[in-house]
Amino acid sequence: MKAVIKANNREFVFDTLDFKLPPELEASEPPEARGQARDDVRLMVSNAGSDAIQHTTFRQLPQFLQPGDVLAINTSGTLNAALNATRADGSIVEVHLSTHLPADLWVCEVLTQTERGMQTLRGLEPGEKLQLPGCAVLTLHVPYLHSREALAKGQSRLWIGTLDLPIDLHAYLNEYGFPIRYNYVREQWPISYYQTVYATEPGSAEMPSAGRAFTPELITACVARGIQFAPLILHTGVASLEDHEPPYEEYYRVPTSTAQIVNAARESGRRVIAVGTTVIRALETVTDESGVTHPGEGWTTTIITPERGIRAADGLLTGLHEPRSTHLAMLQSLAGLPHLEITYAEALAKGYLWHEFGDLHLILP
């Protein structure tokens, strides 16, 4: 199946993976609620060169890594980025804060409850004010850049707005907010379920979930095996299940020390394995065409497609992604479509679980 992504004034066309995801394979609760430890989730290990596949648990991850491997991790912490709000007509909606932009602007989404669960509320107007808890106000200004074509149709999904808060942002969200969840997650879970154990700086609307299964004990086991961790930040925005919707600009920071670790590994022939698609997006933003990674900070608009390719990473630890999603374009850049077809057919046949509370896939070269 052909996919089309329109972004950065370009149109990217490529073959994509299409399949039917059974509802029972959508992880609706954390593994802890299923009687498992974080690192008890299943792990599919695949070799992109040979198409070999092995099935294990995440706790066995160090066995599949080599001394000298670098695991690049996203230490962004997850915010209580969802808020209840009231429109001028008294109707109750839910606001999802996505990306904090310069000039104290926010990219945000407004949703309403329907028979099919929470859905994007269409038909909002520029200048509309939403009343938030604790005497706070969100003012919607204009549709976000990618959504302006839909304004005339009343179909804008994301908006740029400003928050008027009575207290500091993080204190406010800790008091009044709650984690963003999608319709496949049946109940609200505390924010602790949406944090990785190595999170250092809050800022993500959604959990960088590829690293969720790590435990302090497992990190210690990796270090003891000679595996090096290279931290960076990419604050994730809200996702969309709409086909082919491109990633939006997100804040990233790749420190000098991490750029040096990645470059040293590649120069010495050691593997760089990204823990999550967010890590690849950040690294690719600061890696030049010769494969040299530089330190950097800002808001990335980089889109990873098979045409562009991946320069900074040799492998990827990731969750299982929805059919036709733009994340799959990134995986294709690393492993190729034929390998994804094999591995996703295997994951479906073996009953792997999808989404942030689901199982994981380690793609090795």
Side-chain angles (χ1 to χ4, degrees), residues 54 66 100 149 166 185 251 274 287 311 363:
Q54 293 175 269
Q66 301 170 358
H100 200 178
E149 293 179 357
V185 178
Y251 174 81
T287 300
R311 304 160 185 163
I363 304 174

Side-chain angles (χ1 to χ4, degrees), residues 137-158:
V137 177
L138 170 65
T139 302
L140 302 178
H141 298 305
V142 293
Y144 181 68
L145 179 63
H146 293 289
S147 304
R148 287 179 183 173
E149 293 179 357
L151 176 61
K153 303 177 183 178
Q155 294 297 306
S156 299
R157 186 177 80 87
L158 297 177

Side-chain angles (χ1 to χ4, degrees), residues 19 25 296 319 337 343:
F19 56 92
L25 297 187
L337 182 58
T343 55

